[in-house]
Amino acid sequence: MSKGKVLVVGSSATRIEVQGGTGATGQYLNELVVPAMALVEAGYEVTLATPSGLQPHIDEASDSAQHFEGDEAAYRRAKTFFAEDPSMTRVRKLSAVVEEGLDGYAGVFVPGGQAPVVDLMRDPDMGEILRHFHEGAKPTALLCHGPIAVVAAMPKAAEFRASMIGGDTAKAAELAAGWQYAGYRMTVFSETEEKVVEDHILHAKMHFNMPDALRAAGGDVVTTTVDFEPHVIEDRELITGQNPRSDHPLAAKLIAALDRRAAA
């Protein structure tokens, strides 16, 4: 017997805008699969949905045992789960999930990799989902770059994103007026962590960093002083993890929040 349904919202992006062009992007394998596997093992039913209705693209930079603390067996289990488990292969289209109604979902989770910066942070269906879960105070968890998706709850999310790309943070702040998550404590992939990705993976600079965007929106953003150390913040219904190594602790906090709500 399922303890409830959890919506996992993935990105459909494979390229991201950078200064001077575009770079390859996607979701990080561990950030998607570790929390999804934990939810299934805890007795929850997982529904994966993306804007396109297709499986998210896995960023090649994440496709290694390095992101599973060097544990080759855990890496292989994750690869198999993503390739074969129905919770990962029976992907729904985000618009169809919204159209059918969100009342049946106990919580929502958005994994990272840079891909959510491209589509989810300005996706109208993502915005509808966030507003529903915020109004119902249902657990809302986002990991690494995933927290940038909370921007989608704004009525002018696309314009906010465009302002950040253009370097106009004052305009972005104006567009964020009335944002549902203003004043929430939250974390996200830090500027110094992003520099590692820019230097060694993208070989280009991003147009904006994630903490600046969420602060412009009105978030109370806290990141660790030590890069890539696990860091999770829970404030009301919102649960955010900073980086890939926050995958297990974020999953634990999400499951605990779901269990508390179910028991209430």
Side-chain angles (χ1 to χ4, degrees):
M1 179 73 72
S2 169
K3 290 164 70 174
K5 291 198 301 180
V6 176
L7 180 61
V8 176
V9 180
S11 168
S12 294
T14 60
R15 306 290 298 178
I16 187 168
E17 306 100 315
V18 294
Q19 294 182 26
T22 66
T25 195
Q27 306 262 209
Y28 263 43
L29 177 66
N30 69 300
E31 294 179 21
L32 170 59
V33 170
V34 166
M37 289 178 72
L39 286 163
V40 170
E41 289 165 7
Y44 289 93
E45 179 184 344
V46 167
T47 298
L48 175 60
T50 64
S52 69
L54 302 174
Q55 257 196 334
H57 173 71
I58 297 300
D59 192 322
E60 289 182 9
S62 73
D63 196 359
S64 80
Q66 173 190 347
H67 293 286
F68 296 84
E69 304 294 339
D71 186 334
E72 288 285 348
Y75 167 58
R76 288 194 297 272
R77 282 195 301 273
K79 292 270 285 184
T80 300
F81 182 85
F82 180 73
E84 300 178 5
D85 195 272
S87 65
M88 296 286 99
T89 60
R90 294 176 183 169
V91 187
R92 304 292 313 284
K93 195 166 185 176
L94 209 53
S95 59
V97 169
V98 171
E99 190 175 327
E100 289 169 7
L102 300 166
D103 289 340
Y105 292 96
V108 63
F109 166 60
V110 180
Q114 292 173 314
V117 183
V118 180
D119 55 2
L120 295 185
M121 76 175 288
R122 55 177 167 174
D123 186 278
D125 294 311
M126 182 80 253
E128 184 69 24
I129 289 163
L130 288 164
R131 290 188 293 271
H132 169 87
F133 281 83
H134 172 73
E135 288 161 11
K138 296 182 185 181
T140 302
L142 311 98
L143 179 58
C144 197
H145 287 81
I148 200 65
V150 293
V151 164
M154 299 176 191
K156 295 184 177 179
E159 292 93 331
F160 176 93
R161 181 179 184 274
S163 295
M164 290 302 304
I165 287 174
D168 192 345
T169 53
K171 179 65 174 176
E174 288 177 18
L175 291 163
W179 187 48
Q180 291 83 347
Y181 301 101
Y184 273 63
R185 291 183 74 250
M186 60 184 71
T187 192
V188 70
F189 203 61
S190 72
E191 182 177 2
T192 50
E193 289 168 334
E194 197 78 78
K195 190 175 188 308
V196 175
V197 175
E198 291 172 335
D199 290 349
H200 300 287
I201 297 173
L202 284 174
H203 305 291
K205 284 191 66 64
M206 297 274 285
H207 285 288
F208 61 89
N209 65 67
M210 304 306 107
D212 282 353
L214 291 177
R215 288 183 181 121
D220 179 7
V221 181
V222 181
T223 57
T224 61
T225 56
V226 181
D227 288 347
F228 300 104
E229 279 299 300
H231 182 222
V232 178
I233 291 177
E234 186 170 5
D235 186 353
R236 288 158 278 187
E237 82 277 9
L238 191 67
I239 304 165
T240 49
Q242 180 172 323
N243 49 40
R245 292 191 62 222
S246 304
D247 53 359
H248 287 283
L250 178 129
K253 282 194 177 290
L254 173 57
I255 290 164
L258 289 164
D259 288 348
R260 284 196 306 271
R261 185 174 173 86

